[in-house]
């Protein structure tokens, strides 16, 4: 979507800042997920994935996300350390 997969750095914050098209507050959300309880981290990661898929559909309508949607329908529930 941004014409590049990587800007040549392993610094995620720098890479994300170079992308014009991305989910809102992506870097902040990643940082918060590292501090959050596992279940919150999983939820936030799933939201980010959903937002990326929406952006792909918006900016690259020729790219099919059918396979991803089928995969998500059969995905196992998130692991829980309390089980």
């Amino acid at each position: 979507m941004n014409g590049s997969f990587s800007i040549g750095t392993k610094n995620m914050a720098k890479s994300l800042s170079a992308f014009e098209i991305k989910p809102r507050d992506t870097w902040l959300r990643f940082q918060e997920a590292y501090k959050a309880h596992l279940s919150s981290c999983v939820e936030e990661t799933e939201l980010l994935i959903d937002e990326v898929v929406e952006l792909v559909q918006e900016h690259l309508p020729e790219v099919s996300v059918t396979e991803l949607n089928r995969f998500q329908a059969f995905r196992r529930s998130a692991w829980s350390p309390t089980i």
Side-chain angles (χ1 to χ4, degrees), residues 3-70:
S4 173
F5 175 74
S6 171
I7 61 168
T9 178
K10 292 183 180 181
N11 184 318
M12 190 187 319
K14 187 174 182 180
S15 293
L16 284 170
S17 70
F19 294 150
E20 182 180 324
I21 302 168
K22 60 190 169 210
R24 65 172 174 74
D25 302 321
T26 308
W27 180 241
L28 176 64
R29 291 163 72 187
F30 275 129
Q31 287 178 305
E32 292 300 316
Y34 279 108
K35 300 174 195 171
H37 184 271
L38 179 62
S39 60
S40 297
C41 177
V42 169
E43 284 179 29
E44 189 59 40
T45 301
E46 288 175 344
L47 285 173
L48 280 165
I49 292 168
D50 291 344
E51 289 176 34
V52 168
V53 171
E54 287 175 16
L55 289 169
V56 167
Q57 290 175 316
E58 179 182 339
H59 294 279
L60 298 168
E62 68 277 9
V63 174
S64 173
V65 295
T66 305
E67 192 67 28
L68 175 64
N69 290 335
R70 190 170 55 183

